[in-house]
Amino acid sequence: MAPVVSGFSKLSKADKIKWLAEHHFNNDQDTIDTLVTYWNSNDGLQRLHDEFTENTISNYYLPFSVAPNFLINNTRYTLPMAIEESSVVAAASKAAKFWQTRGGFKAEVISTTKVGQVHFMYAGNPEKLQPFFSIVKPKLLTAVAHITKNMEKRGGGILDIELRDKTTEIENYYQLHCTFETVDAMGANFINSCLEQFAKTIVTEAKEYHGFSATEKNIEIVMSILSNYVPQCLVKASASCAIKDLPNTRSLSSLQYAKKFVRAVRIAEIEPYRAVTHNKGIMNGIDAVVLATGNDFRAIEAGAHAYASRNGKYTSLTHAKIQHDILTFSITLPLALGTVGGLTSLHPLVKLALQLLGKPNAKKLMEITAVAGLAQNFAAINSLITTGIQQGHMKMHLMNILNQYKATEDEKKKLITYFETNAVTHSDVVAQIEKLRA
Ligand code: MEV
């Protein structure tokens, strides 16, 4: 077991690696070399990455890919996607190509409200709190004027502050439930700064409020933090086409395909075991764009899954229907995204990704990202109801297996050709490599 270390973050990068090598890797030189191999030779760029977090010892690469041919609201986009899963980008590109000849995707932002809360305890007479809050509310707004000034210039700011009584759930527990418009910023720092100021102001104002008894003057702040649950920051994307324009194979007519497609979505609507996987596939597309554009994919994930269970049962984020011989497929989900602040102007690839998308504002990025999720879901269901998922998945995974077995370029070429006409299974790939090498 490694010993307790103090002052680790103060060590130089080389000394951190030395400590790791000594206590975790038996001073193995290969391990040190691996970490160093991933350093960037451009010192400035490496320093930038080193300073993103504490204790950076190397860089962790993810493929930065692109998926072309996305027609969204009649504009063509090439989507940047940062993801490691082999088949995701290919699936997105395939879905984009399919829909671009069928009218493309439509997308619209429904709402952009963000939320933050000050959680506090007040052990006094509940009836005195609302009158106190009515007096304090304008003072809360004045207290954050220095923080909101710039945001207001950009068209955003605080939308409202509500006092919420939660004492039926936890004794003496109340909230300032605050809503914000943060325009093109994701807004976490702005929201948290406002909330922490609200907390300070409410505590001081309570102390001076004549209507409170001595004990009532002691409001205890538990915490002040934005919420990643943003059911009022919603975007909808959809795609529709005539049933006759859907895939039509020997085993499945277009109508049968449409019905099977709707049934597959319906199963995800009613069955949580399926819904989670169905939504995971949606998040394959969404996370990849979110990550490539420097946004917080954990926030997006948490918010999306909470929204998927908003009615008390986890369900599908997408829906499908057949009406008047037309299949319509849609997604509605919360996406609190930003195109300014955070990594957007810092990380060179994030800047490039936003440039690739034509420097979208946050609303446009919400639309594009929702489409990435819908397209990914279309590709997954299309495979699931026709060939099954493994055919495409294993084709893309072939290269990973070949790399795992350190296949040479010549071996790769031969085996890719072989697997064009043979089903890819892990065991057969290994068998074929061994056969070539025998
Ligand atoms: C795999 O990453 C995602 C899928 O399982 C999604 C789905 O089942 O809908 C293919």
Side-chain angles (χ1 to χ4, degrees), residues 83 85 87-88 268 274-284 376-384 389-390 393:
I83 188 156
E85 193 174 321
S87 53
V88 168
R274 172 58 199 147
V276 172
T277 318
H278 177 97
N279 289 347
K280 185 274 181 188
I282 292 171
M283 299 316 285
N284 277 344
Q376 207 67 45
N377 190 223
F378 174 78
I381 298 176
N382 175 62
S383 298
L384 289 167
I389 208 72
Q390 281 309 83
H393 201 80

Side-chain angles (χ1 to χ4, degrees), residues 118-246:
V118 178
H119 306 268
F120 68 93
M121 313 306 281
Y122 163 77
N125 178 354
E127 282 169 19
K128 289 190 193 171
L129 202 56
Q130 187 59 52
F132 163 72
F133 175 67
S134 305
I135 292 171
V136 158
K137 191 170 169 180
K139 295 185 184 181
L140 294 176
L141 296 172
T142 314
V144 293
H146 63 291
I147 308 170
T148 55
K149 204 168 116 203
N150 279 339
M151 187 58 88
E152 279 166 9
K153 271 193 212 147
R154 286 190 261 131
I158 295 161
L159 300 177
D160 198 11
I161 310 172
E162 247 180 78
L163 173 68
R164 291 194 173 175
D165 183 335
K166 306 293 280 184
T167 53
T168 53
E169 283 142 283
I170 298 177
E171 199 184 358
N172 302 332
Y173 168 42
Y174 296 84
Q175 299 170 344
L176 293 183
H177 183 91
C178 313
T179 43
F180 300 85
E181 169 56 60
T182 60
V183 201
D184 289 328
M186 191 269 190
N189 286 332
F190 168 74
I191 294 174
N192 289 332
S193 300
C194 289
L195 295 172
E196 289 187 3
Q197 184 56 57
F198 291 159
K200 280 188 197 144
T201 306
I202 197 172
V203 167
T204 349
E205 289 297 325
K207 290 213 183 322
E208 285 163 19
Y209 183 58
H210 295 303
F212 283 158
S213 69
T215 42
E216 286 170 337
K217 284 180 191 287
N218 286 322
I219 282 182
E220 184 207 331
I221 302 295
V222 181
M223 57 192 160
S224 312
I225 187 73
L226 97 163
S227 171
N228 291 122
Y229 185 43
V230 277
Q232 257 87 51
C233 186
L234 285 185
V235 55
K236 177 175 181 177
S238 62
S240 59
C241 75
I243 287 177
K244 66 174 175 45
D245 295 332
L246 287 168

Side-chain angles (χ1 to χ4, degrees), residues 84-103:
E84 87 299 346
E85 193 174 321
S86 337
S87 53
V88 168
V89 179
S93 306
K94 207 169 146 192
K97 207 159 181 190
F98 177 87
W99 284 104
Q100 63 119 17
T101 55
R102 291 161 177 84

Side-chain angles (χ1 to χ4, degrees), residues 130-433:
Q130 187 59 52
F132 163 72
F133 175 67
S134 305
I135 292 171
V136 158
K137 191 170 169 180
K139 295 185 184 181
L140 294 176
L141 296 172
T142 314
V144 293
H146 63 291
I147 308 170
T148 55
K149 204 168 116 203
N150 279 339
M151 187 58 88
E152 279 166 9
K153 271 193 212 147
R154 286 190 261 131
I158 295 161
L159 300 177
D160 198 11
I161 310 172
E162 247 180 78
L163 173 68
R164 291 194 173 175
D165 183 335
K166 306 293 280 184
T167 53
T168 53
E169 283 142 283
I170 298 177
E171 199 184 358
N172 302 332
Y173 168 42
Y174 296 84
Q175 299 170 344
L176 293 183
H177 183 91
C178 313
T179 43
F180 300 85
E181 169 56 60
T182 60
V183 201
D184 289 328
M186 191 269 190
N189 286 332
F190 168 74
I191 294 174
N192 289 332
S193 300
C194 289
L195 295 172
E196 289 187 3
Q197 184 56 57
F198 291 159
K200 280 188 197 144
T201 306
I202 197 172
V203 167
T204 349
E205 289 297 325
K207 290 213 183 322
E208 285 163 19
Y209 183 58
H210 295 303
F212 283 158
S213 69
T215 42
E216 286 170 337
K217 284 180 191 287
N218 286 322
I219 282 182
E220 184 207 331
I221 302 295
V222 181
M223 57 192 160
S224 312
I225 187 73
L226 97 163
S227 171
N228 291 122
Y229 185 43
V230 277
Q232 257 87 51
C233 186
L234 285 185
V235 55
K236 177 175 181 177
S238 62
S240 59
C241 75
I243 287 177
K244 66 174 175 45
D245 295 332
L246 287 168
N248 180 3
T249 60
R250 239 183 305 143
S251 54
L252 212 57
S253 73
S254 298
L255 181 60
Q256 284 167 329
Y257 178 97
K259 285 185 175 168
K260 203 171 174 187
F261 191 95
V262 171
R263 203 170 296 136
V265 177
R266 185 79 195 115
I267 289 170
E269 286 170 342
I270 61 108
E271 167 55 61
Y273 278 96
R274 172 58 199 147
V276 172
T277 318
H278 177 97
N279 289 347
K280 185 274 181 188
I282 292 171
M283 299 316 285
N284 277 344
I286 289 184
D287 281 347
V289 176
V290 168
L291 207 50
T293 56
N295 277 279
D296 180 345
F297 65 94
R298 287 84 57 209
I300 295 300
E301 282 277 344
H305 297 297
Y307 185 75
S309 26
R310 68 196 176 285
N311 296 323
K313 182 178 170 186
Y314 191 89
T315 184
S316 167
L317 287 166
T318 56
H319 304 284
K321 63 177 181 200
I322 299 170
Q323 227 171 12
H324 310 302
D325 294 331
I326 288 175
L327 172 78
T328 303
F329 181 43
S330 68
I331 185 168
T332 303
L333 87 166
L335 285 177
L337 296 173
T339 52
V340 297
L343 279 193
T344 55
S345 54
L346 268 182
H347 196 301
L349 283 177
V350 168
K351 272 203 263 184
L352 189 148
L354 290 169
Q355 224 173 330
L356 177 66
L357 292 174
K359 300 197 177 154
N361 59 18
K363 281 187 172 175
K364 192 122 277 167
L365 186 59
M366 285 168 76
E367 292 173 354
I368 293 167
T369 309
V371 165
L374 186 69
Q376 207 67 45
N377 190 223
F378 174 78
I381 298 176
N382 175 62
S383 298
L384 289 167
I385 65 171
T386 54
T387 57
I389 208 72
Q390 281 309 83
Q391 193 187 82
H393 201 80
M394 289 308 286
K395 269 227 148 80
M396 295 306 298
H397 192 53
L398 171 63
M399 195 54 81
N400 289 345
I401 309 174
L402 293 176
N403 283 332
Q404 193 185 333
Y405 285 87
K406 299 197 166 25
T408 62
E409 286 310 307
D410 186 49
E411 285 170 338
K412 280 182 188 171
K413 221 159 122 188
K414 286 186 178 135
L415 291 176
I416 287 168
T417 310
Y418 171 86
F419 282 109
E420 263 161 23
T421 48
N422 291 280
V424 182
T425 63
H426 193 280
S427 54
D428 196 27
V429 177
V430 177
Q432 294 305 322
I433 293 176

